[in-house]
Amino acid sequence: MSTVITTPKNRPDPRDAAKDDSMIKQKEMMARHFDKITDAPESGQKVCATFVPGNLNELIMCFDFANNLPEVNAIQNGLRKKSGQFVMEAEKLGHSEDVCTYVKSDIGMMAKGNLAPNGKPFPDPDVLLLSYTGCFTFLKWFELLREQYKCETIMLHTPYEGDGKITDNMRKYMVKQLKEEVIPKLERVSGVKFDIDRLRENLRRSAKAEDDLVYVLESAKKRPSPIDAYFGGIYYIGPIFGAYRGTEEAIEYYATLRKEIDARIAAGLGPVTPEGPMGKEKYRLVTEGPPNYTNFREFWKMFYDEGAVVVASSYSKVGGVYDYDGFRHDPDRPLETLAEYCLGVYTNRSLPQRVDMLVDYINEYEADGLLINSIKSCNSFSAGQLLMMREVEKRTGKPAAFVESDLVDPRYFSAANIKNRLESYFQMIDQKKAGASIKGAAA
Amino acid sequence: MKSTEEIIKRCEELYEDLNFTAAREWKDAKPGRKVVGYMPIYVPREIIHAGGMLPLGIVGGGDQLEVIHGDAYYQSYICRIPRSTIELGVGGNLDFVDGMLFPSICDVIRNLSGMWKLMFPDVYSRYFDLPQNFNDDIGGNYYISELQELRQGLEEHCGVDITDDALRRSIAVYNENRKLVREVYAYRTKQPWKAAAADVYLLIRAGLVLPVEEHSQMLQDWLAAVDAEDRPMKDNCRVIVTGLFCEQPPLNLIKSIELSGCYIVDDDLLLVSRWLLDDVSTEGHALGNLADAFLHHSESTSSKYEPVETEKGQYLVRAVEKYGAEGVIFASPSFCDPALLDRPMLQNVLNAANIPNIAFKYAENSGQMQPIREQAGTFADSIKLWSEA
């Protein structure tokens, strides 16, 4: 069941909304990303497929691979309203309705011609770099793709931070896998000899871009927040979580973005939404979990229509945590830093660590509460979120709310239900704030 | 000599006792004793045993536990085993357990390890990682260090010493137990009409809550008793049931498969009891020997990466051949990522080898067995009527 949400007449048409330079730049980057992959058969460039969490783009670039990220493709298909048919196609092929819809979108897309957003077919990958980081499904996903493509598949096992810390044993294990398995196999498939100085250069560039990303994310501590760290955050993390980390283009993108944010701060402006600048900031939220992509704008609109801005989100840390504990790729420890990057991604952290992080975000960003968007097909995020919600409420005294949807399966997006819950939640925050002011006045 | 009926009756009592009275009695029998719980699929129980502690297998609440609290911790699209395990924890059924181990099976059990830390801070809770790299020098060394960390963690939290000598002795004790479990399975493969699948399940399941020595004696008694008894052979087909490695099916489901005309000649239930395929060496480096066994002589299952593409699912094909099975039943818990993501690949492998197979889902609290009986019965009929053999 879904509800059609109409745009009020006084709203500008989203297509007419002015675009910032960073938005235009990013759109061009995404177009180049897909062109690079789909042009590979002509250009002769080899293609490596890997995952966003644990994405070793700096290393992949050392072997001149184009980096194809299947989650990014699934997201694109979600945003373009194509994933629903792909998911159902995969289910027709025998995949269970219970499992991850990213996987089924990918499998369905393959069955339906494997077309990239630019309309050209994706080439078969030359290598699958199974960076098994923070998500069990990755392991099966690439076994499924290996079955189709029959290409070299390289496993990089990232141990889980079960006790909330990275141990020497974990780091050594990963470095050894990189040295003795991942790099030699990438050399063999690509025909390019590994050059550690090239890796160091890539890492240096990554760290530079990461500095500016963190500046942008932390700008949300200001009032009003100049960014939305969840919906807007999806765009901000695109280049650094994707195939651009470690490139000059990423550095330029984040420098441009930073300037724009500075300008918004100076002007006292809030985030830019698909319908232009957001109005008055009424609610500051921290979010946990991925968004829904099939109804992304509709979902976002439920927030900005109410003056709700997300000031920090866990999802924007799924491809790397740079703000919370200051991680930066370190060119002086090239393999160790890649290991630590993988180990530290959000979904590879223990539940208590994730709770700590959300509590700290609420306090540091002076948020009014926590909103969890629980994703039906993502157990890595979702299992345990109800306990997380209670813990965060208990420790912060701030209200939390829980909505459910899915990543790219439109059947699990119920606009009316979500809208109702959000409206109730905003009322709850109002009451809490009113209660606090009465108490304050009485004191 | 005890009869199989007497032995299975005792097993059934243990199975139904969600208060784990036997383990509680073991603990109370001597001051200072400790109990360490573990979840599927595999933990090296030898390390717990070597510290003089009781390893206690926790495999959810089954179909007899009313889950009230547990459902408040999970969304509807998460499998049953974590919610009934939480129910056991919150309900006090596990209040005597000093430690809990959560092996790397899937993201749900992984996250449950963190939930346990938050909910039961006084209990030693550990996510037990297993390597997905099977080279001695890489995954092996990592795993040895993990085992060492586990050993130290248990020593510190439970106040015990786990010496190398004790470990070697425990390995020998578990070698004996695994040998007997293999004999039970081999017996059923050979004469499934004499070893009902539900009986074998209960027999092996008793090993989750009993001291290993007592369980080994029970297995010996059963093997002696079963041979002395006679049961009529039915015109059933021979099947392997797979996908049952974590959340347990209701006992009625196992019985229903057999009642519908299928002898179960192999399964992946309670894999911890036979995860290691051969005896582990009792000489030299104990942890190294456990690591070697894990890397090179352990079961294949859906939560384990298969590094060689052409080997994917071949373990099932080989099992069909080895056990003379005529078909495979994929019985997977609803919302089980490992089983359900793996299933299409395994089915492709079986189809390529012309091995008949069917699939259905269950939950530990499934009550309606009629659809399963119909499906399994039709499968059995189709094998009997149209199989090339």
Side-chain angles (χ1 to χ4, degrees), chain B residues 360-372:
Chain B
F360 54 75
K361 292 192 291 185
Y362 68 87
E364 64 179 7
N365 62 344
S366 293
Q368 283 292 332
M369 291 302 145
Q370 188 58 26
I372 284 166

Side-chain angles (χ1 to χ4, degrees), chain A residues 279-325:
Chain A
K280 187 175 162 28
E281 176 183 296
K282 269 181 81 183
Y283 308 104
R284 294 168 66 84
L285 304 177
V286 169
T287 56
E288 151 72 15
N292 162 272
Y293 283 108
T294 56
N295 298 66
F296 186 78
R297 285 195 172 184
E298 192 181 350
F299 192 26
W300 190 355
K301 187 173 163 56
M302 293 179 198
F303 287 71
Y304 62 72
D305 275 355
E306 298 285 342
V309 61
V310 178
V311 290
S313 77
S314 60
Y315 184 61
S316 57
K317 316 296 149 56
V318 78
V321 177
Y322 300 103
D323 59 342
Y324 187 66
D325 32 28

Side-chain angles (χ1 to χ4, degrees), chain B residues 165-182:
Chain B
D165 282 341
L167 261 174
R168 283 187 281 268
R169 282 195 296 275
S170 295
I171 288 173
V173 170
Y174 275 94
N175 279 345
E176 173 65 11
N177 187 259
R178 282 187 287 265
K179 181 173 81 70
L180 290 162
V181 169
R182 285 196 295 269

Side-chain angles (χ1 to χ4, degrees), chain A residues 402-415:
Chain A
F402 203 83
V403 295
E404 292 176 284
S405 64
D406 190 58
L407 292 161
V408 292
D409 190 339
R411 295 172 297 185
Y412 293 95
F413 185 84
S414 170

Side-chain angles (χ1 to χ4, degrees), chain A residues 155-331:
Chain A
M155 157 63 88
L156 173 68
H157 174 203
T158 302
Y160 180 63
E161 284 192 41
D163 282 340
K165 61 184 180 200
I166 296 173
T167 65
D168 278 348
N169 186 36
M170 294 175 182
R171 197 181 291 108
K172 277 183 196 160
Y173 175 46
M174 291 204 67
V175 168
K176 220 164 168 46
Q177 290 180 81
L178 288 167
K179 265 188 191 165
E180 295 180 22
E181 300 220 327
V182 177
I183 290 171
K185 286 178 182 172
L186 289 173
E187 276 184 325
R188 194 176 70 234
V189 175
S190 66
V192 176
K193 191 156 175 51
F194 175 59
D195 176 357
I196 199 160
D197 291 326
R198 193 175 169 188
L199 176 61
R200 286 182 209 276
E201 273 312 304
N202 294 343
L203 293 167
R204 198 163 282 123
R205 282 191 289 270
S206 291
K208 202 167 173 191
E210 286 156 6
D211 281 341
D212 281 343
L213 169 71
V214 170
Y215 180 86
V216 169
L217 294 175
E218 291 186 340
S219 71
K221 289 179 182 172
K222 299 201 178 298
R223 281 177 186 267
S225 168
I227 64 162
D228 184 287
Y230 188 44
F231 299 101
I234 304 296
Y235 296 98
Y236 303 149
I237 59 178
I240 215 149
F241 282 11
Y244 283 96
R245 206 179 65 226
T247 66
E248 283 297 339
E249 286 161 293
I251 293 175
E252 283 167 27
Y253 168 79
Y254 285 103
T256 305
L257 180 63
R258 180 173 177 158
K259 274 187 205 150
E260 286 168 7
I261 301 300
D262 275 339
R264 288 220 283 276
I265 293 169
L269 293 174
V272 177
T273 75
E275 296 180 57
M278 198 178 116
K280 187 175 162 28
E281 176 183 296
K282 269 181 81 183
Y283 308 104
R284 294 168 66 84
L285 304 177
V286 169
T287 56
E288 151 72 15
N292 162 272
Y293 283 108
T294 56
N295 298 66
F296 186 78
R297 285 195 172 184
E298 192 181 350
F299 192 26
W300 190 355
K301 187 173 163 56
M302 293 179 198
F303 287 71
Y304 62 72
D305 275 355
E306 298 285 342
V309 61
V310 178
V311 290
S313 77
S314 60
Y315 184 61
S316 57
K317 316 296 149 56
V318 78
V321 177
Y322 300 103
D323 59 342
Y324 187 66
D325 32 28
F327 171 81
R328 294 289 181 280
H329 281 93
D330 179 0

Side-chain angles (χ1 to χ4, degrees), chain B residues 158-275:
Chain B
C158 298
V160 294
D161 282 330
I162 302 173
T163 65
D164 284 346
D165 282 341
L167 261 174
R168 283 187 281 268
R169 282 195 296 275
S170 295
I171 288 173
V173 170
Y174 275 94
N175 279 345
E176 173 65 11
N177 187 259
R178 282 187 287 265
K179 181 173 81 70
L180 290 162
V181 169
R182 285 196 295 269
E183 282 179 31
V184 169
Y185 264 69
Y187 192 93
R188 183 181 65 173
T189 302
K190 208 171 159 192
Q191 301 181 72
W193 59 93
K194 288 178 74 173
D199 287 2
V200 170
Y201 174 70
L202 290 168
L203 188 63
I204 304 301
R205 176 127 178 202
L208 266 56
V209 297
L210 291 177
V212 61
E213 298 83 355
E214 194 179 332
H215 185 239
S216 290
Q217 184 59 54
M218 179 184 262
L219 296 174
Q220 277 176 344
D221 293 347
W222 183 86
L223 282 162
V226 75
D227 217 25
E229 295 169 9
D230 200 18
R231 288 186 192 177
M233 185 166 68
K234 292 181 187 167
D235 181 27
N236 282 4
C237 66
R238 296 166 63 88
V239 300
I240 292 174
V241 187
T242 187
L244 316 147
F245 47 82
C246 183
E247 182 173 315
Q248 299 300 286
L251 198 57
N252 270 340
L253 188 147
I254 300 172
K255 288 178 182 170
S256 295
I257 291 175
E258 229 168 44
L259 283 172
S260 65
C262 301
Y263 281 134
I264 298 174
V265 294
D266 194 33
D267 60 53
D268 58 357
L269 286 156
L270 307 172
L271 277 181
V272 68
S273 65
R274 57 196 185 286
W275 178 259

Side-chain angles (χ1 to χ4, degrees), chain B residues 34-255:
Chain B
K34 305 283 181 186
V35 176
V36 178
Y38 62 88
M39 293 207 66
I41 300 174
Y42 169 73
V43 298
R45 294 176 295 177
E46 291 86 340
I47 296 178
I48 302 166
H49 182 266
M53 300 177 284
L54 179 72
L56 178 72
I58 307 290
V59 288
D63 57 356
Q64 298 302 311
L65 183 73
E66 190 183 2
V67 174
I68 298 165
H69 304 291
D71 279 342
Y73 289 86
Y74 287 103
Q75 303 88 318
S76 56
Y77 46 78
I78 305 250
C79 57
R80 298 293 310 173
I81 186 171
R83 58 187 82 221
S84 62
T85 304
I86 290 273
E87 188 75 28
L88 291 171
V90 174
N93 304 51
L94 300 174
D95 56 6
F96 66 107
V97 174
D98 304 283
M100 274 291 281
L101 304 180
F102 301 85
S104 63
I105 308 171
C106 68
D107 294 332
V108 172
I109 300 297
R110 183 197 75 177
N111 288 3
L112 183 59
S113 70
M115 292 174 72
W116 217 263
K117 280 178 192 289
L118 290 168
M119 296 175 74
F120 307 102
D122 296 333
V123 174
Y124 170 70
S125 303
R126 184 177 173 84
Y127 172 75
F128 180 63
D129 216 343
L130 296 161
Q132 297 286 359
N133 175 299
F134 306 104
N135 288 345
D136 295 304
D137 194 33
I138 305 173
N141 284 341
Y142 165 71
Y143 187 49
I144 291 170
S145 295
E146 277 294 297
L147 294 174
Q148 183 58 26
E149 279 182 30
L150 172 64
R151 172 183 177 162
Q152 283 172 348
L154 289 170
E155 284 180 332
E156 283 164 21
H157 285 84
C158 298
V160 294
D161 282 330
I162 302 173
T163 65
D164 284 346
D165 282 341
L167 261 174
R168 283 187 281 268
R169 282 195 296 275
S170 295
I171 288 173
V173 170
Y174 275 94
N175 279 345
E176 173 65 11
N177 187 259
R178 282 187 287 265
K179 181 173 81 70
L180 290 162
V181 169
R182 285 196 295 269
E183 282 179 31
V184 169
Y185 264 69
Y187 192 93
R188 183 181 65 173
T189 302
K190 208 171 159 192
Q191 301 181 72
W193 59 93
K194 288 178 74 173
D199 287 2
V200 170
Y201 174 70
L202 290 168
L203 188 63
I204 304 301
R205 176 127 178 202
L208 266 56
V209 297
L210 291 177
V212 61
E213 298 83 355
E214 194 179 332
H215 185 239
S216 290
Q217 184 59 54
M218 179 184 262
L219 296 174
Q220 277 176 344
D221 293 347
W222 183 86
L223 282 162
V226 75
D227 217 25
E229 295 169 9
D230 200 18
R231 288 186 192 177
M233 185 166 68
K234 292 181 187 167
D235 181 27
N236 282 4
C237 66
R238 296 166 63 88
V239 300
I240 292 174
V241 187
T242 187
L244 316 147
F245 47 82
C246 183
E247 182 173 315
Q248 299 300 286
L251 198 57
N252 270 340
L253 188 147
I254 300 172
K255 288 178 182 170

